[in-house]
């Protein structure tokens, strides 16, 4: 099929990109922060875009959300409190609420329209998590929340998740070494930070830069990589912490913890995928070498 006006196209860098057939446009518009679109696509069902970039879809969200959450969270003995910056689609919150010890998830989303879109159009992404009584939803600036609101309350978190757009525009300040340090101050003794890094093939310099910024702040920085269909590429994520290191878990340990915690309905994540995500090919070892 030719790439034409019937396709949604996204650039991965100035030399490459990918496309999907559009299907039906459900809603589009502008908020004070960004342009949005919701499509019903032949490949992935309901699909959400911001400023022309694919964010999430019904058909493949589990590739992203399960790995962003479970890779760090399964390594924690009993995660009780989590903070999500961004993540207004509710997919990360949905995965966190699978942990029986989870008492509260604070979700700080800049754009209220993102949450409205998820509630109206993306129920198979959040699965009711946006209305879970354990969710503390804050429509606020994540930078201000981390630097001022949370420190003033004295609250500490077992996991902080940066479920953000790419590090450009409004999100750029949330990928700095200074912001990572601000997040670290909000973590409990065995807490961890989880975030996505980008596509190592197409955005290799960005991925290496973010890993180095994390290493300047945390003792253990654990990059892990997964193919995300909607993003059209191998995609990097990282768990950063001072004491917690998910690389030490064996596949059997991961599977045993999933059973003990009665975490079910996972479409991607298991003990083998956990271990495999940290097995880096040589080009990534070289790119990410300290």
């Amino acid at each position: 099929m030719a790439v034409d006006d019937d396709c949604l196209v996204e650039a991965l860098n100035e030399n490459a990109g990918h496309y999907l057939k559009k299907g039906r446009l459900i809603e589009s518009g502008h908020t004070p922060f960004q342009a949005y679109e919701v499509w019903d696509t032949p490949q992935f069902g309901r699909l959400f875009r911001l400023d022309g970039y694919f964010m999430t879809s019904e058909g493949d969200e589990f590739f992203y959300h399960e790995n962003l959450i479970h890779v760090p969270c399964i390594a924690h003995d009993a995660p009780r409190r989590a903070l999500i910056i961004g993540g207004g689609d509710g997919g990360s919150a949905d995965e966190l609420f699978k942990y029986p010890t989870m008492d509260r998830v604070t979700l700080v989303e800049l754009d209220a329209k993102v949450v409205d879109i998820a509630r109206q159009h993306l129920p198979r992404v959040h699965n009711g998590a946006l209305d879970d009584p354990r969710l503390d939803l804050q429509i606020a600036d994540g930078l201000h929340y981390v630097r001022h609101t949370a420190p003033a309350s004295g609250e500490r978190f077992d996991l902080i998740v940066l479920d953000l757009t790419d590090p450009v525009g409004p999100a750029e300040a949330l990928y700095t070494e200074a912001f990572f340090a601000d997040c670290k101050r909000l973590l409990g003794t065995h807490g961890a930070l989880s975030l996505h890094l980008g596509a190592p093939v197409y955005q290799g310099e960005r991925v290496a830069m973010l890993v180095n910024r994390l290493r300047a702040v945390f003792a253990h920085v654990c990059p892990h990589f997964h193919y995300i269909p909607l993003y059209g590429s191998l995609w990097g994520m990282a768990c950063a912490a001072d004491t917690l290191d998910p690389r030490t878990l064996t596949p059997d340990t991961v599977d045993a913890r999933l059973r003990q915690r009665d975490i079910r309905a996972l479409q991607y994540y298991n003990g083998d995928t956990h271990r495999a995500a940290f097995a880096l090919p040589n080009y990534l070892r070289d790119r990410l070498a300290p």
Side-chain angles (χ1 to χ4, degrees):
M1 185 184 74
V3 180
D4 52 27
D5 290 340
D6 196 34
C7 295
L8 300 170
V9 179
E10 179 177 331
L12 289 165
N13 62 20
E14 64 274 17
N15 301 312
H18 67 122
Y19 69 89
L20 293 170
K21 191 171 182 180
K22 285 180 176 177
R24 179 174 65 93
L25 179 63
I26 297 173
E27 183 180 342
S28 65
H30 291 79
T31 77
F33 305 101
Q34 52 208 339
Y36 68 89
E37 304 158 58
V38 183
W39 294 85
D40 189 4
T41 65
Q43 183 66 48
F44 293 121
R46 297 283 177 90
L47 182 153
F48 177 45
R49 296 214 302 174
L50 287 174
D51 290 335
Y53 291 94
F54 298 126
M55 293 290 108
T56 192
S57 79
E58 291 178 324
D60 88 320
E61 61 83 21
F62 61 91
F63 285 81
Y64 174 84
H65 290 121
E66 288 187 17
N67 289 301
L68 185 68
I69 299 304
H70 296 296
V71 168
C73 224
I74 203 69
H76 196 286
D77 289 339
R80 298 188 181 280
R81 293 196 173 186
L83 170 65
I84 304 169
I85 303 298
D89 57 43
S92 289
D94 179 41
E95 298 303 326
L96 286 167
F97 285 137
K98 292 177 181 178
Y99 286 81
T101 54
M102 191 61 63
D103 293 329
R104 187 168 75 170
V105 173
T106 301
L107 193 159
V108 182
E109 169 60 57
L110 178 66
D111 196 337
K113 183 63 178 178
V114 173
V115 179
D116 292 341
I117 287 170
R119 283 192 167 124
Q120 185 174 359
H121 299 301
L122 303 171
R124 290 176 57 191
V125 173
H126 63 79
N127 295 301
L130 291 171
D131 297 307
D132 191 295
R134 294 168 292 174
L135 186 74
D136 176 19
L137 176 61
Q138 304 275 338
I139 303 301
D141 180 348
L143 186 70
H144 186 274
Y145 188 90
V146 165
R147 288 186 173 168
H148 303 287
T149 307
S153 72
E155 190 164 14
R156 294 292 180 268
F157 300 96
D158 299 311
L159 183 67
I160 297 177
V161 183
L162 304 184
D163 190 355
L164 302 165
T165 56
D166 288 348
V168 294
E172 186 174 5
L174 282 70
Y175 288 90
T176 63
E177 185 178 321
F179 185 72
F180 295 157
D182 291 333
C183 289
K184 178 178 175 177
R185 285 189 281 271
L186 298 181
L187 292 172
T189 303
H190 301 295
L193 176 70
S194 183
L195 71 162
H196 80 95
L197 304 172
V201 174
Y202 301 104
Q203 303 155 357
E205 291 184 3
R206 173 194 296 176
V207 171
M209 174 189 70
L210 292 175
V211 168
N212 286 332
R213 288 179 181 177
L214 290 165
R215 284 173 174 156
V217 176
F218 293 94
H220 300 294
V221 177
C222 310
H224 50 103
F225 293 86
H226 317 265
Y227 178 73
I228 311 293
L230 184 63
Y231 299 167
S233 180
L234 185 70
W235 208 259
M237 300 181 182
C239 170
D242 277 347
T243 61
L244 183 142
D245 188 341
R247 294 171 298 190
T248 63
L249 300 183
T250 67
D252 287 344
T253 299
V254 170
D255 288 335
R257 290 188 179 188
L258 291 172
R259 289 192 300 270
Q260 291 161 4
R261 300 175 188 188
D262 198 27
I263 298 174
R264 304 180 183 182
L266 298 178
Q267 299 181 74
Y268 186 102
Y269 180 77
N270 58 45
D272 286 334
T273 67
H274 177 98
R275 187 65 169 176
F278 297 109
L280 303 185
N282 290 337
Y283 81 94
L284 275 179
R285 287 184 180 180
D286 292 341
R287 169 70 75 175
L288 302 179

